[in-house]
């Protein structure tokens, strides 16, 4: 009798356990199906991404190069965005990684890319709004950038926020409309 007290009776019957097993099998089938759907979606997105890059990158490189050349006063002719989104700048027929360039030139390259992406995606239908953009530029870079913004009729409106008086004075010297807030 003591032995019977120590033996516990199962809480679930064999029928209950089989029902749970069937439910878990159904969950596994459902999860496997969902996983296969995710793999298919991932492959489709990767293929679409490659196709978009094939079409978009040449346009982006051309537009960004045009802007970069203007911002650098013609010193750099081309800028290239690779498939891994690494950026190269061309100077005297040599391609250089951005980490080998001055911080001002790097800023010009990234500004060129931002403007080019904006132009290509928004089709010049929205204003370009920039904040804290020209701060690391030396005087010549800043003047080139302000001249670009002033003379670029493709962008309907450019708004530059700054708290630096030297940028405001340089913009005023070029006849750019200033609004103080």
């Amino acid at each position: 009798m003591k032995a019977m007290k120590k033996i516990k009776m199962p809480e679930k019957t064999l029928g209950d356990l089989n029902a749970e097993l069937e439910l878990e099998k159904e969950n596994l089938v459902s999860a496997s199906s969902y996983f296969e759907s995710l793999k298919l979606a991932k492959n489709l997105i990767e293929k679409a991404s490659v196709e978009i890059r094939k079409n978009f990158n040449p346009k982006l490189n051309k537009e960004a190069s045009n802007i970069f050349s203007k911002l650098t006063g013609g010193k750099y002719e081309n800028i290239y965005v690779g498939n891994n989104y690494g950026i190269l700048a061309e100077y005297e027929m040599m391609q250089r990684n951005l980490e080998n360039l001055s911080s001002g030139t790097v800023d010009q390259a990234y500004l060129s890319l931002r403007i080019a992406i904006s132009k290509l995606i928004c089709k010049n239908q929205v204003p370009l709004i920039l904040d804290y953009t020209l701060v690391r530029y030396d005087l010549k870079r800043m003047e080139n950038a302000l001249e670009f913004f002033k003379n670029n009729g493709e962008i309907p409106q450019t708004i530059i926020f700054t708290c630096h008086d030297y940028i405001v004075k340089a913009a005023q010297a070029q006849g750019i409309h200033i609004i103080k807030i």
Side-chain angles (χ1 to χ4, degrees):
M1 202 57 154
K2 285 185 177 181
M4 290 301 275
K5 287 183 182 179
K6 290 184 179 180
I7 297 175
K8 279 188 161 183
M9 293 302 291
E11 294 175 16
K12 298 180 184 179
T13 67
L14 184 57
D16 292 339
L17 292 174
N18 281 331
E20 285 181 21
L21 180 60
E22 288 304 314
L23 183 61
E24 289 303 320
K25 284 180 182 178
E26 289 174 18
N27 289 341
L28 179 61
V29 168
S30 177
S32 295
S33 176
Y34 181 68
F35 180 70
E36 291 302 317
S37 297
L38 289 176
K39 281 182 10 184
L40 177 63
K42 177 184 175 261
N43 289 336
L44 290 173
I45 290 169
E46 286 173 349
K47 286 179 183 177
S49 175
V50 167
E51 192 64 31
I52 288 169
R53 268 192 251 138
K54 260 195 252 180
N55 293 322
F56 189 73
N57 270 16
K59 294 174 188 172
L60 177 62
N61 288 336
K62 182 179 179 184
E63 188 63 43
S65 292
N66 181 34
I67 296 166
F68 192 50
S69 179
K70 289 175 183 174
L71 290 177
T72 62
K75 181 176 180 180
Y76 291 89
E77 295 176 11
N78 294 303
I79 189 171
Y80 303 100
V81 179
N83 288 339
N84 62 353
Y85 299 104
I87 302 170
L88 299 172
E90 187 176 288
Y91 175 68
E92 295 180 349
M93 304 296 287
M94 290 180 56
Q95 292 181 354
R96 297 180 179 189
N97 289 321
L98 288 189
E99 60 261 13
N100 298 327
L101 303 175
S102 70
S103 63
T105 303
V106 171
D107 282 358
Q108 288 173 312
Y110 283 119
L111 179 60
S112 300
L113 286 171
R114 289 194 309 268
I115 295 170
I117 290 168
S118 172
K119 288 175 77 173
L120 292 171
I121 291 175
C122 299
K123 308 280 190 239
N124 297 324
Q125 299 298 312
V126 297
L128 184 62
I129 301 172
L130 304 168
D131 187 20
Y132 206 73
T133 302
L134 307 175
V135 174
R136 293 188 347 169
Y137 285 22
D138 59 26
L139 184 61
K140 185 65 180 159
R141 283 185 175 97
M142 183 181 51
E143 288 172 349
N144 284 346
L146 291 171
E147 184 178 330
F148 170 80
F149 294 129
K150 179 182 175 188
N151 296 324
N152 190 345
E154 295 175 9
I155 300 172
Q157 183 179 27
T158 302
I159 300 168
I160 302 173
F161 291 99
T162 187
C163 62
H164 298 281
D165 285 333
Y166 70 95
I167 295 174
V168 172
K169 289 177 183 173
Q172 286 173 329
Q174 290 198 23
I176 296 173
H177 181 68
I178 307 292
I179 299 174
K180 292 190 176 190
I181 302 175

